[in-house]
Amino acid sequence: MKSDDLRWIFEQLFNRYGPQHWWPAETPFEVMVGAVLTQNTAWLNVERAINNLKQADSLSCQQVVDLPPAELAELIRPAGYLNLKAKRLQNLCRFLLESGGESTLSSYKTDELRQALLSVNGVGPETADDILLYAFQRPVFVIDAYTRRILTAYGLIAGDESYEVLRSGFEAGLPLDSALFNEYHALIVKHAKNHCRKKPQCAGCSLIERCQQGRANEAEEPTAT
DNA sequence: ACCCAGGGTCATA
DNA sequence: TATGACCATGGG
């Protein structure tokens, strides 16, 4: 994971897709809810669940905590794992309320906030980093299945590295810039949705093949015809 | 009918 | 530490 490779990939994706304006949410709290609901779930179904919460006037910390679990589960049904995610949302919202809310958490150092989020049952590394980056604008790089696939397809990693290894790899190879990390992760997802629908780990992805070809040419033959 | 999606936890070895 | 089972819905 060299800095040059990471910068080059970002450049390719940004030139092709442009800015993505992430996270698709109106408020930081909506980001957090979406981060839990999207666990192993297609975003389209998450949108339906969030719309249900909005229409029930329940998209707030206090409302989520106060709702009976079965009712909350019913509202988020489209996002799948409904009973599990209902508990996770309530765990997260209890944590937010007990911590004094977003304003208090904003004063935490990034590492402290990350540890606090990870202490919530149902919030793992990726969900915590989604929240850190997209709700709190902290320069934390989000690693997901798409990121692994793309790096593997580019031959930059073996694919079985731990979450933390990959995260620190990105953070060490790039400027510690939340706006950059925001775009980068969003572009990876955008690219994956456009070109990596088929399973074979992005190996047949036309853009990546073009990019790999382009890189090979740059390296071997900078002044190609 | 099958595969999978912007994961995480828990039990077991 | 490292697998496996489990959670559940909707789209392709």
Side-chain angles (χ1 to χ4, degrees):
Chain A
M1 293 191 59
K2 298 195 169 194
S3 180
D4 288 345
D5 291 328
L6 297 178
R7 291 166 186 265
W8 182 84
I9 291 172
F10 176 78
E11 192 180 330
Q12 299 302 311
L13 294 174
F14 188 82
N15 287 344
R16 179 147 194 90
Y17 298 113
Q20 298 299 304
H21 311 294
W22 262 37
W23 178 288
E26 296 178 2
T27 65
F29 181 70
E30 188 177 333
V31 172
M32 300 190 229
V33 170
V36 170
L37 292 180
T38 197
Q39 291 171 357
N40 201 38
T41 298
W43 182 253
L44 178 62
N45 292 331
V46 176
E47 287 185 319
R48 294 183 171 124
I50 289 180
N51 283 336
N52 287 346
L53 289 171
K54 285 181 177 173
Q55 292 197 354
D57 200 24
S58 299
L59 190 58
S60 77
C61 227
Q62 194 64 52
Q63 290 294 324
V64 168
V65 169
D66 289 343
L67 273 175
E71 284 186 31
L72 180 57
E74 197 52 41
L75 289 172
I76 65 172
R77 171 178 290 280
Y81 305 129
L82 56 163
N83 296 310
L84 184 60
K85 285 176 178 174
K87 289 179 190 168
R88 291 181 177 179
L89 285 179
Q90 292 190 316
N91 290 343
L92 177 58
C93 287
R94 255 193 307 275
F95 161 77
L96 292 172
L97 292 174
E98 290 169 1
S99 304
E102 296 163 32
S103 55
T104 300
L105 293 173
S106 293
S107 66
Y108 283 35
K109 291 179 182 175
T110 297
D111 290 342
E112 294 172 337
L113 184 50
R114 188 165 200 270
Q115 287 310 308
L117 289 167
L118 288 174
S119 74
V120 177
N121 187 295
V123 175
E126 185 182 337
T127 305
D129 291 345
D130 279 336
I131 293 172
L132 286 165
L133 179 58
Y134 292 106
F136 289 93
Q137 282 74 245
R138 304 302 176 93
V140 169
F141 203 97
V142 177
I143 305 297
D144 64 356
Y146 292 151
T147 311
R148 270 177 204 283
R149 278 187 219 169
I150 287 194
L151 291 187
T152 304
Y154 275 87
L156 297 184
I157 62 170
D160 59 346
E161 290 83 356
S162 72
Y163 184 97
E164 285 305 319
V165 165
L166 295 181
R167 185 170 75 90
S168 60
F170 272 95
E171 294 179 5
L174 295 168
L176 224 54
D177 178 350
S178 64
L180 171 65
F181 290 178
N182 178 322
E183 281 300 335
Y184 207 144
H185 176 68
L187 283 165
I188 287 173
V189 174
K190 172 71 173 178
H191 177 60
K193 285 182 174 176
N194 273 261
H195 293 275
C196 305
R197 276 298 181 178
K198 304 197 171 174
K199 293 179 293 183
Q201 302 182 342
C202 227
C205 167
S206 60
L207 177 60
I208 281 187
E209 285 174 356
R210 273 203 302 280
C211 293
Q212 286 176 329
Q213 192 62 39
R215 286 193 94 227
N217 290 342
E218 281 180 33
E220 298 164 10
E221 221 176 329
T223 58
T225 61

